[in-house]
Amino acid sequence: MADMTYNSPYPEYQRDLAMASLFKFIESAIFILLILMFSGAIIGMTIVNPEDMNTETPMARLMWYPPYLIILGLAVRYIVPLFRITIFVPLLVVCVAICGISILWSIDPGITLRRAVALAISTLFGLLIAARYNWNEMVQRFAFVFAILAILTVFVALFMPAKGVMHEIHPGAWRGPWVEKNYLGANMTRGLVVMMCAFAMRPSRGWIWVPMGLLCFALVLMSTSKTALLASLMSIGLFLVIRVFRRFPFLRIPVMYFFVAGISGFLFCMFVIPEAMLELIGKDPTLTGRTDIWDLLIMSIKEKPLLGYGYGVYWQDPLGPSYWVRTALEWGVPSAHNGWIETWLSVGAVVVGLFALHFVITLLLALDRIKNGGVETYWVVLSTLVFLGVSMSESMILAQNDLGWVIFVATSAKLFARDKPFWRDKSGKNLLDRRGTTRPG
């Protein structure tokens, strides 16, 4: 009888354990699906018109409502850790808030309000990821998502070429489920960085992350995006530099010397012989027409330099302020192709300055991890620099429903919160000594 009494709680314990494991699996699947949604691939595959991929149907907007509700529900569930990590990024919160307040001076308050809400929830999702997962868990989930995106891109390009391959402009360049080739190049550059960092954090999973990294790099080549290719090659080089710097302390000085000398030489050549340097990577002096766009947009910025035209509305009205840019260039320019200029157009110099300060601090915190961090160092340095590089050619700063923005918010928030370093032993487990400080693995 005593034995029965002792053993009776055991089935209930096993059942509770199984239910907890099931709930954790479902929650993880939900996060992965949400990350996939923010990549734009799901909408690109199901809603966007293959004949006109720059125009979304009204259903595309409706598809975001369920993810928004799920994110709000998860935010309520993790309200305490979410609040704790949010208070560390006041500059980011202020930037997002000003985007919402811009309805007061927006040239189209209704659109500004709708897109500002989308931006707030996108930012909330990034903060939620930062609050919910440690460095390794976050990077592994990002890697899983980009592996899916890479495989999906191959499928779309090979079996749905009308959607996955460009024909009229840049014929033959792959774009996968995205609007055009540069989006594929930017996403696969992120994918390459994620795969390298996931492998560094969990070498035991190299059997999947190494092939997926090679696939991401191959897709960068298939996109024919020179900017993405340059960013990918620089990411690989910087990954190796960080690895040597961390693993071989006696090589730190010569590595830093050659790295600084290389960067200085590159910048010197760009100033002295810019045309020759751009020709090496297949770019013309206008950066495929980008500088022409930027010159005209600077004139628009001068009209409303401090507060901008309102969040997300500059390009909306064909007869609005963007009319003169499109008329002068004789094509339907969809965006500024530069995150900083796009932000200036939307919410002015005030937000550009605040976000620039936030980014500089993020970068300094990331670089500090080279000396004081764990294996998450690869991720924080590479992802932050890739964000900076891509933002120079794509409008992704304070961008609603954008995975690049979500990733930056999550990484930046964890850096500002001084999230503890992630070390691994041979099994990939976190190592803590008795004093509560991390030690190398």
Side-chain angles (χ1 to χ4, degrees):
M1 188 70 173
D3 290 339
M4 291 180 62
T5 303
Y6 177 77
N7 291 327
S8 60
Y10 186 72
E12 286 78 7
Y13 171 78
Q14 289 288 77
R15 182 190 62 198
D16 293 344
L17 186 63
M19 289 298 295
S21 298
L22 177 62
F23 178 81
K24 184 177 180 180
F25 173 81
I26 293 174
E27 183 188 71
S28 184
I30 290 173
F31 269 95
I32 288 173
L33 288 173
L34 288 172
I35 296 170
L36 273 172
M37 186 69 180
F38 277 87
S39 73
I42 294 177
I43 288 181
M45 284 292 296
T46 58
I47 298 297
V48 177
N49 183 358
E51 302 300 326
D52 185 9
M53 296 193 74
N54 285 312
T55 302
E56 294 182 351
T57 66
M59 279 298 296
R61 196 158 59 241
L62 295 176
M63 282 188 67
W64 281 104
Y65 295 155
Y68 288 168
L69 292 175
I70 293 172
I71 291 170
L72 292 175
L74 290 170
V76 172
R77 172 174 171 75
Y78 294 104
I79 186 65
V80 174
L82 181 61
F83 176 77
R84 286 174 179 170
I85 204 162
T86 302
I87 61 177
F88 285 99
V89 285
L91 289 175
L92 200 62
V93 172
V94 170
C95 288
V96 174
I98 294 176
C99 289
I101 297 172
S102 69
I103 60 172
L104 299 176
W105 61 84
S106 172
I107 60 176
D108 194 332
I111 292 178
T112 290
L113 177 61
R114 173 166 56 82
R115 294 186 174 179
V117 170
L119 171 64
I121 297 179
S122 301
T123 306
L124 178 65
F125 183 49
L127 294 171
L128 186 61
I129 293 174
R132 176 64 183 86
Y133 297 113
N134 65 30
W135 289 113
N136 177 64
E137 292 169 338
M138 182 178 75
V139 172
Q140 298 297 319
R141 281 160 178 76
F142 285 149
F144 186 76
V145 168
F146 278 101
I148 294 174
L149 293 174
I151 295 171
L152 178 62
T153 297
V154 174
F155 176 84
V156 173
L158 294 180
F159 299 103
M160 303 172 64
K163 181 186 287 283
V165 181
M166 300 188 73
H167 299 283
E168 296 182 2
I169 304 176
H170 308 295
W174 285 21
R175 64 183 174 192
W178 289 282
V179 173
E180 56 106 29
K181 70 182 186 71
N182 288 334
Y183 286 93
L184 172 62
N187 276 291
M188 289 303 105
T189 298
R190 291 191 199 101
L192 173 62
V193 169
V194 171
M195 299 306 168
M196 290 191 297
C197 297
F199 169 67
M201 299 177 84
R202 279 291 175 87
S204 61
R205 296 181 180 175
W207 63 274
I208 182 172
W209 300 144
V210 172
M212 285 296 103
L214 293 174
L215 177 58
C216 288
F217 184 74
L219 292 174
V220 169
L221 297 176
M222 295 305 296
S223 74
T224 71
S225 172
K226 302 299 189 300
T227 303
L229 177 59
L230 182 62
S232 296
L233 292 175
M234 292 184 67
S235 296
I236 294 172
L238 188 56
F239 178 87
L240 296 176
V241 167
I242 295 174
R243 190 164 184 82
V244 170
F245 195 87
R246 288 173 54 82
R247 296 293 295 272
F248 307 101
F250 62 93
L251 292 177
R252 288 181 177 179
I253 293 178
V255 165
M256 287 298 298
Y257 172 80
F258 283 111
F259 181 74
V260 173
I263 295 295
S264 301
F266 175 78
L267 294 175
F268 176 79
C269 291
M270 285 297 296
F271 279 107
V272 176
I273 48 173
E275 294 185 4
M277 293 296 292
L278 291 170
E279 187 177 350
L280 288 176
I281 60 173
K283 288 285 187 180
D284 60 82
T286 67
L287 299 178
T288 322
R290 284 182 173 85
T291 57
D292 295 332
I293 299 173
W294 299 341
D295 288 341
L296 292 170
L297 291 179
I298 288 174
M299 297 174 63
S300 290
I301 287 174
K302 290 179 179 178
E303 296 292 327
K304 295 178 179 289
L306 292 179
L307 300 177
Y309 293 81
Y311 179 73
V313 298
Y314 180 84
W315 303 98
Q316 188 65 27
D317 186 357
L319 300 179
S322 63
Y323 171 80
W324 302 108
V325 177
R326 289 166 170 156
T327 301
L329 298 176
E330 298 182 342
W331 69 286
V333 185
S335 70
H337 290 285
N338 181 292
W340 301 91
I341 293 178
E342 191 76 66
T343 303
W344 207 325
L345 286 168
S346 289
V347 279
V350 174
V351 174
V352 170
L354 291 174
F355 181 77
L357 178 60
H358 175 87
F359 180 83
V360 169
I361 298 174
T362 298
L363 182 59
L364 292 176
L365 291 172
L367 295 175
D368 178 69
R369 294 266 172 162
I370 296 177
K371 180 181 178 181
N372 300 314
V375 287
E376 84 286 347
T377 299
Y378 297 99
W379 170 252
V380 297
V381 174
L382 291 177
S383 66
T384 302
L385 290 177
V386 165
F387 178 86
L388 175 62
V390 175
S391 71
M392 294 298 181
S393 61
E394 302 298 334
S395 303
M396 59 180 298
I397 296 174
L398 292 167
Q400 79 274 12
N401 304 336
D402 184 87
L403 181 55
W405 174 249
V406 170
I407 290 175
F408 173 78
V409 170
T411 303
S412 178
K414 292 180 79 66
L415 284 170
F416 270 77
R418 295 285 183 172
D419 210 41
K420 64 181 180 180
F422 179 82
W423 297 102
R424 52 167 174 78
D425 59 8
K426 293 182 179 179
S427 64
K429 295 181 179 179
N430 215 23
L431 293 177
L432 299 175
D433 65 18
R434 292 183 180 179
R435 294 169 296 178
T437 57
T438 55
R439 59 182 182 182

